[in-house]
Amino acid sequence: MPHPDPPAPSPDSTRRARLAVGAVFAVHGAAQGSFATRIPWIKDQLDLSTAVLGLALAFPAIGASLAMPLASRIMHRYGALAAVRGLLMLWCAALALPAVAPSLVALCAVFAVFGATAGMADVAMNAQGVDVERAHGRSIMSGLHGLWSVGTLLGAAIGVGAVHLNVDARAHLALVAAALVAATPFICRGLLDVRPGPDEDPPPRFALPPRSALLIGAVGMCAILAEGASADWSGVYLRDVTGASETVAAASYTAFACTMAAARLAGDAVVRRMGPVRAVRLSGVLAVSGGTLVVTAQAPAQGIVGFALLGVGIAVVVPLAFAAAGRSGPNPGQAIAGVATVTYTTGLIAPTLIGTIGEVTSLPVSFGVVTAATAVLVAAAGVLGAGGRSTTVASDLSSPGGARASGDAGGRLARE
């Protein structure tokens, strides 16, 4: 006997869900930003060399890549609201762990757990973002990722203040972790409780990403390559290639992060006007222009403008990749986990790849590779439209059967 279609969420519940999922992204980012400010303290506390610290910092990405496929199974079993709330609380609680690791081996193990909780929470909140976007009928994913960037900057600002006041990192991270864990149940109250249909089979515990997710993830990979390269190498590039001062070089990533956050916050309006495919193609053109400026830079100002354009150019790509994954097949959670795995793995490899190419040739050649990768965005943008039932969220909901499509993509909405 066929089951009736799930009721669509009311406008009020959709508005609450949009605010709630935005807060979830900001909290996730705040935890990441808080951690980043304490990496030097951890290095000094365990007396690690730069090379050894770099090796240890690979473990969060390894843990995330291994654990993210589990997130879709957790969402299937417990429902979206419980999954987001529980996984986000685990991620925030894990923030306190790196500062208390007594040895390098313990730090690597803690980092693996740290990355696993971060990655699973990332998958769950992006899946919730796709569901809210579909219910809202308008693009919101870029803005959600912009709020993550804002949360990162706020967490980093608090961390800088704690460092300035000589607050012990163990106390700082424990207090921030406790505050974020306590806040999470309250901010999650408005989320949509999306559950699987009664006849829907659970996803496997571990599985290779579906083919559709690999194609979409490849587009996200190009953007993540540029982001990782700019984040880790922009300061070195400006200092060593363009002769920038230490102060200008140190401030380069902040400028890059701020332009990318601003572009993400404004990106939804562009996506609504142009659609995801044209928006990503325009993004690719901007990113290629920025990369070209970086590669040819002879003065710091040109390099800074180039990195800023790179930030603007890649800003909306990953959010739109997650949104496309959520429309790409019968199991959105598994597809989102697949895209997240591809992008996280690229984020792990990118800094090392750029450094290796730079060592063998030069940093301008390294960023020539980055520029070539961003050119792929122009050619492959169509994948982000083809993955879904339509190229825009609004058309999904306004077409006949749109509410049913929403239910198929996200599962069964619990009655409120």
Side-chain angles (χ1 to χ4, degrees):
M1 179 178 179
H3 296 277
D5 291 338
S10 68
D12 285 343
S13 64
T14 300
R15 283 192 292 270
R16 288 196 303 270
R18 184 180 180 185
L19 292 173
V21 74
V24 165
F25 272 76
V27 165
H28 193 288
Q32 179 62 45
S34 299
F35 164 69
T37 62
R38 289 306 191 162
I39 293 175
W41 186 94
I42 294 169
K43 179 178 182 294
D44 293 342
Q45 187 75 5
L46 296 179
D47 193 25
L48 305 177
S49 68
T50 299
V52 171
L53 176 63
L55 175 64
L57 287 172
F59 279 82
I62 293 172
S65 298
L66 292 175
M68 281 187 292
L70 291 172
S72 59
R73 192 172 181 90
I74 292 172
M75 288 185 286
H76 183 276
R77 181 169 182 176
Y78 297 104
L81 191 156
V84 173
R85 181 177 58 214
L87 292 173
L88 185 61
M89 291 176 72
L90 283 176
W91 157 234
C92 293
L95 175 63
L97 298 179
V100 298
S103 66
L104 174 62
V105 173
L107 181 66
C108 291
V110 163
F111 273 171
V113 173
F114 187 71
T117 56
M120 288 191 293
D122 194 311
V123 171
M125 72 187 192
N126 273 286
Q128 175 73 196
V130 169
D131 290 321
V132 175
E133 180 178 81
R134 188 176 294 277
H136 188 60
R138 303 174 71 189
S139 174
I140 65 168
M141 288 299 290
S142 180
L144 293 180
H145 282 252
L147 288 171
W148 186 90
S149 298
V150 170
T152 302
L153 292 171
L154 290 175
I158 293 172
V160 169
V163 172
H164 181 71
L165 295 174
N166 293 317
V167 177
D168 188 281
R170 288 164 291 196
H172 163 225
L173 294 184
L175 287 172
V176 172
L180 295 179
V181 168
T184 295
F186 295 97
I187 67 173
C188 288
R189 285 180 176 177
L191 296 178
L192 299 178
D193 194 13
V194 181
R195 296 179 181 272
D199 300 326
E200 183 178 332
D201 293 329
R205 288 183 175 86
F206 292 98
L208 292 174
R211 182 180 178 184
S212 60
L214 291 176
L215 294 173
I216 294 167
V219 176
M221 179 179 68
C222 296
I224 289 293
L225 177 64
E227 181 177 351
S230 300
D232 285 19
W233 290 99
S234 58
V236 175
Y237 192 99
L238 289 175
R239 185 191 64 194
D240 293 354
V241 177
T242 71
S245 68
E246 291 288 345
T247 301
V248 171
S252 61
Y253 175 66
T254 301
F256 170 82
C258 286
T259 56
M260 189 164 67
R264 280 179 170 171
L265 290 172
D268 287 320
V270 176
V271 174
R272 291 166 194 161
R273 184 176 183 86
M274 303 180 65
V277 174
R278 290 178 63 195
V280 170
R281 284 181 179 148
L282 175 61
S283 296
V285 170
L286 291 174
V288 169
S289 300
T292 302
L293 286 175
V294 169
V295 171
T296 60
Q298 299 296 316
Q302 181 179 336
I304 290 170
V305 172
F307 281 115
L309 275 176
L310 265 176
V312 172
I314 64 177
V316 303
V317 178
V318 172
L320 290 179
F322 279 116
R327 303 190 304 269
S328 66
N331 194 323
Q334 188 177 350
I336 290 170
V339 170
T341 302
V342 171
T343 55
Y344 265 69
T345 303
T346 303
L348 168 65
I349 296 171
T352 301
L353 175 65
I354 296 304
T356 301
I357 296 174
E359 182 69 24
V360 174
T361 55
S362 66
L363 281 177
V365 172
S366 293
F367 277 89
V369 173
V370 170
T371 304
T374 60
V376 174
L377 299 176
V378 181
V383 172
L384 301 187
R389 293 176 174 86
S390 69
T391 57
T392 65
V393 177
S395 63
D396 257 347
L397 293 176
S398 60
S399 63
R404 183 181 181 88
S406 176
D408 290 343
R412 179 171 54 84
L413 284 173
R415 293 182 183 271
E416 309 218 355

